[in-house]
Amino acid sequence: MADYNPILSAPAGANKKDRRVGRGSSSGRGTTAGRGNKGQQSRSGGKTYIGFEGGQMPLYRRIAHRGFSNYPFKKEYAVFNLTEIEEKYSDGETVSKETLTAKGLLKKSVSLVKVLGNGEITKKVTIDVDKISASAKEKVEKAGGSVVSKDSEKTEEQK
């Protein structure tokens, strides 16, 4: 314990005195107080606001702020291809949100699921998701599986 020093002190140069401006010409920071000579920055209150462009009409005022955005209503789908279903599922299983989550393919926060037709499928699976593409539906039915999609029910009602 020979290295122990009960008096703590900051290293040399760590604590500096504040620069006091406007305290007479002999201080080196008198008269203009380090602000230069004339101009906006030298004056008290001489600040501009965020987005100020030197008197030019600012961008936020040049651009129209009207209209409608569909962003709050957009739906995001978790997308799965037939290749992933072919790898992870066996014959006779059902592809749904619950089984996708159980197999670790889907995060719980995602609310909508869509199956796309990339790849081939040979297993007879039942697909019960929010949406399925026409090519995926065709391939699944060709392999002997079935599709119970909310999307396909709506299209059949429209016909």
Side-chain angles (χ1 to χ4, degrees):
M1 290 293 246
D3 295 335
Y4 176 71
N5 186 356
I7 301 169
L8 296 174
S9 59
N15 299 328
K16 290 172 139 185
K17 284 186 178 179
D18 287 342
R19 177 177 283 154
R20 300 192 67 208
V21 296
R23 294 294 185 277
S25 59
S26 62
S27 70
R29 296 265 165 197
T31 58
T32 58
R35 287 170 169 255
N37 289 317
K38 298 175 196 170
Q40 187 174 22
Q41 310 299 61
S42 72
R43 318 220 188 275
S44 67
K47 293 183 279 296
T48 59
Y49 50 86
I50 294 169
F52 182 70
E53 296 185 22
Q56 174 176 299
M57 187 61 69
L59 184 69
Y60 75 91
R61 289 189 61 197
R62 292 198 302 264
I63 296 172
H65 288 276
R66 295 181 59 144
F68 172 75
S69 170
N70 202 42
Y71 184 79
F73 310 105
K74 82 172 184 177
K75 295 177 182 175
E76 285 194 19
Y77 287 87
V79 179
F80 294 96
N81 282 304
L82 290 178
T83 51
E84 296 168 278
I85 293 167
E86 178 72 24
E87 287 172 14
K88 297 282 183 179
Y89 285 84
S90 58
D91 224 19
E93 279 190 292
T94 302
V95 179
S96 65
K97 283 183 199 174
E98 293 77 27
T99 58
L100 285 165
T101 308
K103 290 183 186 283
L105 293 170
L106 180 67
K107 290 179 182 170
K108 290 182 182 177
S109 61
V110 179
S111 57
L112 299 169
V113 176
K114 183 171 183 175
V115 175
L116 300 179
N118 190 3
E120 293 299 320
I121 191 157
T122 57
K123 298 167 182 166
K124 293 180 182 179
V125 290
T126 306
I127 295 184
D128 183 14
V129 292
D130 299 300
K131 276 193 171 188
I132 185 166
S133 70
S135 63
K137 185 176 180 180
E138 186 183 312
K139 288 177 183 180
V140 168
E141 288 171 350
K142 197 174 186 181
S146 60
V147 175
V148 188
S149 171
K150 285 98 181 163
D151 184 45
S152 62
E153 290 169 11
K154 287 179 187 174
T155 53
E156 287 170 14
E157 287 174 12
Q158 289 171 352
K159 290 176 186 176

